Each structure stands twice: as structure tokens, then as C-alpha cells.
Amino acid sequence: MKKLIIFVSVIVVLVVGAFFFLQNVNINRLGTDNYYVQIKGKGEKFESKANNGEKFVHYEYTLPGFNEDGIEKVFTFTSSKQLREEAYLNLFVKDEEVKSYKEVKLGDISSSAQEKLK
């Protein structure tokens, strides 16, 4: 009986831990390199339709990005919404492809990258 209680407790802890991990960790960001960009322009708007007639809109941006050391690379990525003009983004890049992004403040960016973005 004691072993059963321990077994059930371990399973419950694993399930709760997995739930919190999946809720709080963006798996697309694991093992990626960080680059920083500033949104310039409104992006190129693309519209498409699904087979059921539902419309989809996305915006494509091609911008120079800088890593923590200030090294530049140009990235093309899409967003389902138009991004805020002049916003700073942290791009999560793996194998030269943008996997994810998040908006950051200028103060969150390394000084080397900040100089290049200004």
C-alpha cells in the first residue's frame, strides 16, 4: 500500500510538472540564437483563403537583425498581425529561420546591438 501511494504521488508530480512546463515554456525558443530587430515599415500584406472560404492575413517583414555581439544578419519572418512601427523584437533563430519572436524594450538589448539598431 505504501508503494502504491508513492507511485501515485510521483505520477501526480510528473503530470503537474509537465503541465506547468508546457504552459510556461515556448518549445520553439529552445536551442535558438537571439537576434534583435527594430520594425521599420508596415510589412508586406498577404491574404489567402482556406478551402472553406475563410480569409487569412499575414504580414511579412525583411529586416536586419543583430546578435549580442552586434553581428548583422538579414531575416525574413511573418506575423499574423501588423507589428507596431519602431518596436524592438527579440528574434529566436535556429538554422537561419525565425522560430519565434517577442517584443522587448531597448534597455533589454545588449549595448553592441543597441548601437547598430539606432
Side-chain angles (χ1 to χ4, degrees), residues 81-98:
K81 63 180 184 174
Q82 195 168 33
L83 299 173
R84 188 171 59 83
E85 185 79 24
E86 303 296 321
Y88 295 99
L89 298 182
N90 180 0
L91 302 181
F92 298 92
V93 179
K94 187 173 187 177
D95 300 328
E96 305 299 318
E97 180 182 346
V98 177

Side-chain angles (χ1 to χ4, degrees), residues 3-17:
K3 288 183 180 182
L4 179 62
I5 293 172
I6 292 172
F7 178 74
V8 170
S9 298
V10 168
I11 295 299
V12 168
V13 167
L14 289 175
V15 168
V16 170

Side-chain angles (χ1 to χ4, degrees), residues 7-66:
F7 178 74
V8 170
S9 298
V10 168
I11 295 299
V12 168
V13 167
L14 289 175
V15 168
V16 170
F19 175 76
F20 281 113
F21 176 79
L22 292 174
Q23 290 295 315
N24 296 314
V25 175
N26 186 335
I27 296 173
N28 287 330
R29 296 178 181 177
L30 296 177
T32 59
D33 297 321
N34 291 314
Y35 283 84
Y36 299 94
V37 298
Q38 184 177 23
I39 301 299
K40 303 274 187 188
K42 298 191 180 290
E44 189 173 350
K45 183 177 180 178
F46 291 95
E47 294 183 14
S48 59
K49 281 188 181 179
N51 291 339
N52 64 2
E54 186 178 358
K55 276 187 175 181
F56 293 99
V57 176
H58 71 273
Y59 297 86
E60 184 175 275
Y61 296 87
T62 301
L63 299 166
F66 303 92

